[in-house]
């Protein structure tokens, strides 16, 4: 079947979209991916070997749980943990299994990890038309590392199984059964609730996740058709701390949205002045500390960047670094060790603007504001 038929688009609509796809290849396999959002097609949609791998849809967010849940849902919802890592779709095309990152790139590191960690051959034999969607979490992570999970290096957690071509999800219960059957680790299910019950139950779930510094929840209808996310203060402040280490590279929208989330949560969750002051304190720290430290480090002559550590067999680490360089990223190796046949590398993704701007201001550049 033609790509436009698989995507349920007219030939003309598909042709108009075509120019937004980028050509790429992975170990000799040519493919095209859609790196940004388009009206008629999910970001991250991939065309490879005659098949479509649908992009993972954007999950809408509520700023308040009470009206957010009751306005959005009319039937029982599953509440699962939202994990803080990076999104991966695992799909089989032309008999090869690949791991795709959010924008639709085949990532050599992810592909290797999912192939070696999961029983994918038998999963895809049983469900050839499906793709497995999940989060890669843990400290040794080339995109988003988090220490709050019981993971030593990196691990996969499934949160969706979707039709690879249409993106239609399986029902939550069915998906959880299948993951269990194929021993695919999955995100935690906190419960299935009527919307009004969920309004009662979710604040406590969020408080507990927050105290473990975890990210939040994703709620969805039993058929998986409608999703909604909500995050903890720890996640909002963690993102702000990250953004303010690189204040001139992370957009103002990114930070503003997270500040607003804290305002709504404070209003919905908190009665006591003491608790609100504690949040204000945490919020201030997450803005000021990373920013002041960044300025000091640059003042001391360092160049700052996003640091990550990964562990894999040498050929996979090399392929990952090559993959980053192909995307135009400048990578500096900070530490490089061999451990039991694996390579453990700490590297920095260089960041330009923040370094340049801070340096200029430290040199006395004047701003007209
Ligand atoms: P995008 O929606 O484009 O991924 P974003 O930064 O807005 O970007 P997030 O706020 O992290 O995304 O929320 C959506 C993402 O959350 C999903 O893409 C997925 O990778 C991740 N996620 C983690 N846990 C779950 C879960 N249990 N169910 C669904 N998504 C989850
Ligand atoms: Mg995320």
């Amino acid at each position: 079947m033609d790509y436009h038929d698989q995507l349920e688009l007219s030939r003309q609509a598909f042709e108009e979209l075509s120019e937004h796809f980028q050509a790429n290849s992975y170990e000799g396999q040519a493919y095209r991916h859609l790196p940004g959002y388009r009206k008629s097609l999910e970001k991250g949609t991939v065309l490879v070997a005659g098949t479509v791998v649908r992009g993972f849809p954007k999950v809408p967010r509520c700023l308040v749980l009470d009206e957010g849940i009751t306005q959005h849902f009319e039937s029982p919802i599953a509440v699962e943990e939202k994990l803080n890592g990076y999104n991966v779709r695992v799909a089989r095309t032309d008999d090869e299994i690949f791991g795709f990152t959010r924008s639709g790139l085949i990532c050599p590191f992810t592909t290797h990890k999912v192939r070696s960690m999961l029983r994918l051959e038998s999963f895809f034999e049983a469900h050839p038309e499906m793709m497995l969607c999940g989060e890669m979490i843990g400290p040794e992570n080339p995109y988003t590392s988090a220490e709050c999970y019981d993971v030593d290096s990196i691990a996969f957690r499934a949160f969706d199984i979707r039709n690879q071509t249409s993106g239609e999800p399986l029902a939550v219960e069915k998906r959880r059964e299948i993951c269990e059957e194929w021993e695919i680790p999955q995100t935690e299910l906190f419960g299935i609730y009527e919307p009004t019950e969920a309004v009662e139950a979710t604040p406590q779930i969020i408080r507990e996740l927050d105290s473990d510094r975890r990210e939040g929840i994703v709620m969805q209808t039993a058929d998986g058709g409608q999703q909604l996310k909500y995050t903890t203060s720890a996640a909002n402040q963690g993102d702000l701390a990250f953004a303010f280490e690189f204040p001139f590279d992370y957009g103002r929208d990114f930070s503003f949205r997270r500040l607003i989330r804290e305002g709504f949560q404070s209003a919905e969750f908190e009665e006591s002045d003491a608790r609100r002051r504690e949040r204000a304190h945490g919020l201030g720290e997450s803005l000021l500390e990373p920013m002041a430290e960044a300025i000091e480090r640059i003042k001391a002559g360092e160049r700052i960047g996003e640091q990550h550590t990964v562990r894999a067999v040498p050929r996979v680490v090399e392929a990952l670094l090559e993959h980053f360089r192909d995307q135009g990223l400048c990578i500096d190796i900070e530490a490089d060790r061999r451990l039991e046949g694996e390579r453990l590398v700490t590297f920095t993704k260089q960041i330009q603007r923040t370094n340049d701007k801070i340096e200029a201001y430290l040199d006395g550049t004047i701003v007209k504001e």
Side-chain angles (χ1 to χ4, degrees):
M1 222 191 335
D2 286 349
Y3 284 133
H4 76 86
D5 286 327
Q6 295 185 58
L7 291 167
E8 292 176 48
L9 292 172
S10 70
R11 192 177 288 277
Q12 194 197 344
F14 176 68
E15 262 153 33
E16 279 164 20
L17 270 171
S18 285
E19 60 174 300
H20 300 291
F21 277 88
Q22 285 179 11
N24 227 308
S25 77
Y26 175 80
E27 291 187 348
Q29 172 69 64
Y31 67 98
R32 284 184 288 162
H33 75 288
L34 187 64
Y37 286 99
R38 294 288 144 200
K39 263 202 293 296
S40 43
L41 209 50
E42 284 81 7
K43 163 184 167 178
T45 297
V46 188
L47 311 175
V48 51
T51 47
V52 167
V53 181
R54 213 30 105 136
F56 190 80
K58 183 112 195 125
V59 179
R61 169 189 302 273
C62 56
L63 291 182
V64 292
L65 288 166
D66 51 7
E67 292 299 317
I69 293 172
T70 50
Q71 293 291 322
H72 196 68
F73 296 114
E74 282 170 353
S75 56
I77 54 175
V79 179
E80 294 178 305
E81 181 170 1
K82 179 179 196 305
L83 299 158
N84 188 9
Y86 67 96
N87 181 297
V88 41
R89 282 164 289 146
V90 185
R92 189 175 71 172
T93 64
D94 213 11
D95 273 353
E96 278 264 45
I97 294 166
F98 296 115
F100 299 87
T101 48
R102 191 73 178 84
S103 66
L105 288 170
I106 299 177
C107 169
F109 175 85
T110 310
T111 298
H112 169 80
K113 289 288 174 187
V114 295
R115 283 180 187 169
S116 59
M117 291 188 304
L118 307 172
R119 282 172 55 197
L120 294 173
E121 299 294 341
S122 49
F123 170 83
F124 284 114
E125 278 314 309
H127 306 283
E129 74 289 5
M130 302 313 253
M131 62 181 177
L132 180 62
C133 310
E135 199 87 344
M136 292 289 270
I137 55 169
E140 292 177 347
N141 187 313
Y143 302 97
T144 309
S145 29
E147 306 277 350
C148 58
Y149 304 109
D150 191 16
V151 170
D152 290 333
S153 176
I154 192 164
F156 177 86
R157 297 282 184 273
F159 53 65
D160 244 323
I161 296 176
R162 290 176 179 258
N163 183 287
Q164 192 188 301
T165 319
S166 68
E168 272 302 300
L170 282 186
V172 175
E173 208 179 332
K174 182 81 189 156
R175 177 238 301 163
R176 295 197 69 95
E177 258 169 40
I178 292 175
C179 287
E180 201 148 306
E181 188 179 349
W182 301 108
E183 295 168 357
I184 296 168
Q186 46 184 331
T187 191
E188 188 176 340
L189 171 68
F190 295 113
I192 294 172
Y193 305 90
E194 288 294 336
T196 50
E197 295 169 349
V199 171
E200 297 297 313
T202 47
Q204 190 50 29
I205 296 172
I206 289 292
R207 283 194 188 91
E208 281 166 29
L209 288 170
D210 186 51
S211 68
D212 293 338
R213 309 213 53 80
R214 292 180 176 231
E215 193 181 26
I217 54 175
V218 173
M219 300 164 270
Q220 60 200 303
T221 48
D223 64 5
Q226 250 185 306
Q227 298 184 318
L228 188 66
K229 68 189 176 194
Y230 185 85
T231 49
T232 61
S233 179
N236 301 336
Q237 294 186 8
D239 283 358
L240 284 165
F242 176 74
F244 274 80
E245 186 180 352
F246 311 108
F248 299 106
D249 287 277
Y250 281 84
R252 289 162 200 222
D253 279 0
F254 181 94
S255 305
F256 183 73
R257 284 203 293 268
R258 283 154 179 84
L259 288 170
I260 296 299
R261 289 175 202 163
E262 285 291 271
F264 278 92
Q265 194 171 82
S266 181
E268 185 175 15
F269 276 38
E270 270 137 34
E271 291 80 49
S272 86
D273 289 349
R275 182 62 196 98
R276 179 164 294 169
R277 214 167 301 129
E278 209 178 299
R279 184 193 294 270
H281 195 136
L283 193 53
E285 279 180 354
S286 68
L287 303 180
L288 187 72
E289 287 178 352
M291 182 164 56
E293 279 161 27
I295 295 170
E296 282 167 358
R297 285 171 59 197
I298 290 169
K299 193 172 183 186
E302 266 183 71
R303 287 195 65 85
I304 61 167
E306 224 185 273
Q307 191 172 296
H308 300 277
T309 296
V310 292
R311 180 196 303 255
V313 291
R315 122 189 112 70
V316 170
V317 173
E318 276 144 38
L320 175 68
L321 297 174
E322 197 52 42
H323 177 68
F324 284 146
R325 291 182 178 124
D326 281 348
Q327 289 166 60
L329 295 173
C330 293
I331 302 292
D332 297 319
I333 307 291
E334 309 289 345
D336 197 343
R337 286 194 293 158
R338 295 282 162 124
L339 280 176
E340 292 158 6
E342 290 191 303
R343 202 173 149 194
L344 182 64
V345 173
T346 299
F347 62 90
T348 305
K349 295 179 188 165
Q350 281 184 17
I351 286 212
Q352 216 53 47
R353 256 176 83 78
T354 294
N355 282 286
D356 296 348
K357 280 264 190 192
I358 290 181
E359 218 169 75
Y361 289 140
L362 283 170
D363 286 341
T365 297
I366 281 167
V367 284
K368 290 193 188 122
E369 54 189 21

